[in-house]
Amino acid sequence: MRNVSRRAVLVLAAGAVASACSGTEPQDGVDEGPVRTETEPLEKAFALLGPLSDAHWLGYDRVKNNDGRSVPGPSDIRVVGFARLADGKAAGLTSVAQRAFGPEPLGELPEQLAGFAPGDARWQHSKAFDDEITGGAYPGRFLLSPATGTVCFDALNAT
């Protein structure tokens, strides 16, 4: 009888420790400050895109108001926004046949960025290009608009 109760206590204790350490699932909650406009961090993270300009982006912890429930991990940091590529760069990147770019809708982005999406963009996406930029090291989605010379990026742990 004593072994059963000791085993039950150990199982309950292990469960309590596991639940205390698991924290909450990340959920988008953009409340981390103003839209950023500097390009250097983006050029460093997404070197294949080359020089960027006219950037509008957010970099934030996906666990809204992370009030000590968990320590932010690299995969909790979302980098999302728009930037202009050098003249002709978007057309050059999308013209590589092996990348197999095709039309794709922009999808949902944080409200703060909605006004920065070019209205006349025809977005092109390639899973192969995503993998090329990220090197498989982090999840990321990159849409290019050759018509506007713009990239839309949405990545985790990119910096």
Side-chain angles (χ1 to χ4, degrees), residues 36-47 49-57 79 82-86 151 153 159:
R36 298 173 65 172
T37 58
E38 69 272 25
T39 60
E40 186 179 344
L42 302 175
E43 291 169 346
K44 211 179 226 184
F46 312 134
L49 296 175
L52 301 170
S53 63
D54 197 27
H56 296 91
W57 61 284
V79 177
F82 299 95
R84 182 169 304 277
L85 300 165
V151 60
F153 50 89
T159 55

Side-chain angles (χ1 to χ4, degrees), residues 12-77:
L12 289 173
V17 168
S19 68
C21 293
S22 64
T24 60
E25 284 297 310
Q27 45 188 299
D28 285 338
V30 183
D31 61 356
E32 273 51 316
V35 173
R36 298 173 65 172
T37 58
E38 69 272 25
T39 60
E40 186 179 344
L42 302 175
E43 291 169 346
K44 211 179 226 184
F46 312 134
L48 187 59
L49 296 175
L52 301 170
S53 63
D54 197 27
H56 296 91
W57 61 284
L58 298 167
Y60 63 93
D61 183 350
R62 291 190 323 146
V63 178
K64 187 173 184 177
N65 299 319
N66 188 355
D67 56 0
R69 293 173 304 210
S70 69
V71 176
S75 64
D76 291 338
I77 306 301

Side-chain angles (χ1 to χ4, degrees), residues 82 102-109 121-126 141-144 152 154:
F82 299 95
E104 187 160 324
L106 189 56
E108 287 190 42
L109 294 172
R122 291 190 183 104
W123 297 107
Q124 299 287 311
H125 178 252
S126 161
R141 182 171 174 253
F142 301 84
L143 287 89
L144 299 173
C152 175
D154 192 349

Side-chain angles (χ1 to χ4, degrees), residues 1-14:
M1 184 78 152
R2 185 173 246 186
N3 286 343
V4 172
S5 62
R6 186 176 285 164
R7 185 175 294 152
V9 169
L10 288 173
V11 168
L12 289 173

